[in-house]
Amino acid sequence: MNFDLSEDEEMLQALTERFVTNTYDHTTRRLFLAEPNGFSGKNWALLGELGLIAAPFPEELGGLSLDATGIATIFEALGRGMVVEPLAEASVLAGSLFARTAPEKLRDEWLDGLLTGERRLALAHAEAKARDGLTWVETAALPENGGYRLEGAKPYAVAGGGADGYLVSARLSGMPADTEGVALFLIPADTPGLCRREWPLADGSIAASLVLEGVSVPESHRLDGDLAAIEEAQQVAALARCAEALGIMERLFHDTLDYLRTRDQFGAALGSFQAIQHRMVAQYAAIEQSRALLNLALVSWGGDRFAEAVSGARAWISEASIALAHEMVQFHGGMGVTDELAIGAGHKRLLVLSRWPEGPEAALDRYARLLN
C-alpha cells in the first residue's frame, strides 16, 4: 500500500515544519511554557494566520476538512518540534466539536474567532470519579427559567488555562454511568457562578479545574451534542495525540543517536558498544511498529474499523512511547532528566499523552470491546 503524501499533504507538512523551524528550539520552548497559559500567544496567533488552527474544521465553515492523513501529518511534525501550543485540545477536539454541534446563531458568534485563534475553547467533560471512563457524568443540568442551571465540578479541562469558553457536559436525567441523558453546553469563561482554578500538568501545560455553582445557561447555549458526539471527537483527537507521540519518539531517538555517536566512554563512542546498539535497535523497531499501527488507523478513516484502529494504536503507542523515553533518558544519564535537554521535556510530554484522557489499559480494553 502506498503511504506517500499527496501534493497537498506535502505542502501541509512543509508549512508545519517551517513553523517549527522558524519559532522553536529547546530554549524558546521553555520560555513559551513559562507564559501564563502554558504556551505562546504570539505563536497561537501565527498558527491562526497560517490556517493550521482552522484546518481541522469543516470546509463549509472555513476549514480544510482534514482527513486522518492530514491530521497525522500536522501533528507528527508538531511532535518532532515538541510544540506546546494546544492544537489538539483546542482545535481538533473542542473547536471542531463546537462547530459540528452548536446552533447556527451561536456558532456564527464564535466561529470567526475560533478559526483565527482570537478565541479558544476547551472541553470540560472528565470528572473526578470517572476513572478512565468517558461516560461518567455527575454534573447536573436543571431546567430553570427557560434555560438551565448547572451544578457540579469538572476538574480536568486540559488546555483550559485562559480559555474563552468551555464545552461542559451535564446530565439532564439518569444515573452518572448512564450513556443516555447527557447534554453539552457552551459556558463562556466569564459566566457568573463559574469558578476556575488553573494548574500545571506534568509537561508544563496548563489545565483548568472548574466548579459550577448555580451557573445559568440559556437554551441557546445548549449544543446538539451528547456522549456519542464527545466520543467521536475524542477518537479524532486520539489520532492526533498518537501522531504527536510518534513525532516525539522520533525526535528523542535521533537526539539520542547523535549523542551516542559523540559521547566517549572508556576511550570509545558509547554507540560502539553492542549492548547499547541492541537496545537502540529495539526502540527503532518500536517506532516502526507504532508507525504501522498509526497507518492502519489512517487507512481506516471513514470506515467501521476506525475507532478500533485508533484504540489499538493508542494502547500500543502509549506504552511503547514511555518505554522509549525511559531508555533515552537512561542513555543520557542524569542530564536526561534536566531542563537543559529536550530528552526530559519529551519524556514529560509523552507521559501526559499516554495517560490522557485515559491510560493504555483503558485503551486496550476499548480495543478489545470493539473487536467483538
Side-chain angles (χ1 to χ4, degrees):
M1 184 172 290
N2 182 13
F3 288 103
D4 292 339
L5 299 179
S6 67
E7 184 176 348
D8 288 344
E9 289 162 351
E10 288 180 346
M11 291 175 62
L12 196 61
Q13 183 183 56
L15 177 66
T16 310
E17 290 176 344
R18 187 164 68 249
F19 166 78
V20 172
T21 301
N22 291 343
T23 58
Y24 266 84
D25 58 36
H26 185 54
T27 300
T28 56
R29 182 184 187 275
R30 291 165 62 188
L31 296 175
F32 298 153
L33 273 176
E35 294 196 25
N37 297 323
F39 65 91
S40 167
K42 182 179 179 181
N43 284 351
W44 188 252
L46 179 57
L47 287 169
E49 292 177 14
L50 296 174
L52 292 177
I53 293 177
F57 285 70
E59 188 172 357
E60 63 272 15
L61 298 180
L64 297 179
S65 294
L66 289 183
D67 62 3
T69 302
I71 291 171
T73 298
I74 289 176
F75 280 91
E76 190 175 340
L78 294 176
R80 284 193 293 269
M82 294 201 293
V83 171
V84 299
E85 282 69 41
L87 208 61
E89 301 299 333
S91 179
V92 176
L93 181 56
S96 298
L97 177 60
F98 173 79
R100 290 196 306 272
T101 59
E104 184 175 356
K105 183 178 179 181
L106 181 64
R107 185 186 66 203
D108 291 345
E109 291 176 6
W110 283 74
L111 186 61
D112 287 345
L114 295 177
L115 295 176
T116 61
E118 294 176 5
R119 281 179 155 182
R120 181 166 54 88
L121 295 175
L123 178 64
H125 171 59
E127 299 193 0
K129 296 182 181 180
R131 298 185 181 276
D132 280 338
L134 298 180
T135 61
W136 186 276
V137 178
E138 287 186 85
T139 300
L142 309 171
E144 182 180 80
N145 299 326
Y148 300 90
R149 187 181 82 253
L150 270 60
E151 303 280 354
K154 298 288 185 179
Y156 312 115
V158 170
D164 300 287
Y166 299 92
L167 304 185
V168 176
S169 58
R171 184 164 294 284
L172 299 171
S173 62
M175 301 300 291
D178 292 348
T179 57
E180 302 295 331
V182 172
L184 197 59
F185 300 88
L186 171 64
I187 312 295
D190 58 358
T191 302
L194 177 64
C195 177
R196 176 173 68 183
R197 180 179 62 84
E198 298 180 354
W199 55 282
L201 298 179
D203 62 351
S205 60
I206 304 298
S209 176
L210 307 181
V211 176
L212 302 97
E213 296 181 342
V215 173
S216 295
V217 181
E219 178 66 35
S220 61
H221 279 225
R222 177 178 172 180
L223 310 185
D224 186 22
D226 53 12
L227 286 177
I230 294 172
E231 185 166 350
E232 183 179 347
Q234 286 282 17
Q235 290 169 6
V236 182
L239 176 77
R241 297 183 190 112
C242 286
E244 181 185 351
L246 178 58
I248 297 174
M249 291 168 72
E250 292 176 330
R251 165 73 179 275
L252 299 190
F253 182 87
H254 288 294
D255 282 3
T256 302
L257 192 60
D258 289 342
Y259 174 77
L260 294 176
R261 287 169 173 165
T262 57
R263 177 71 165 88
D264 286 344
Q265 189 74 32
F266 305 113
L270 278 175
S272 66
F273 296 109
Q274 191 175 54
I276 290 180
Q277 292 175 4
H278 287 175
R279 289 165 67 180
M280 287 295 285
V281 167
Q283 294 308 317
Y284 178 81
I287 291 174
E288 292 304 304
Q289 286 177 279
S290 299
R291 180 171 297 283
L293 287 167
L294 180 63
N295 285 339
L296 178 60
L298 301 187
V299 300
S300 302
W301 175 264
D304 296 337
R305 309 297 293 273
F306 177 68
E308 171 192 315
V310 170
S311 295
R314 174 164 172 73
W316 167 267
I317 292 174
S318 294
E319 292 282 19
S321 63
I322 293 299
L324 180 143
H326 287 169
E327 285 282 73
M328 302 306 111
V329 166
Q330 187 174 32
F331 286 142
H332 280 80
M335 287 294 292
V337 295
T338 66
D339 285 341
E340 296 179 28
L341 297 182
I343 301 299
H347 173 264
K348 292 174 184 177
R349 179 59 182 162
L350 288 173
L351 182 63
V352 171
L353 287 172
S354 69
R355 296 299 187 268
W356 176 259
E358 59 186 4
E361 296 86 359
L364 185 60
D365 287 344
R366 183 184 302 275
Y367 174 69
R369 289 195 302 270
L370 292 169
L371 283 176
N372 297 326

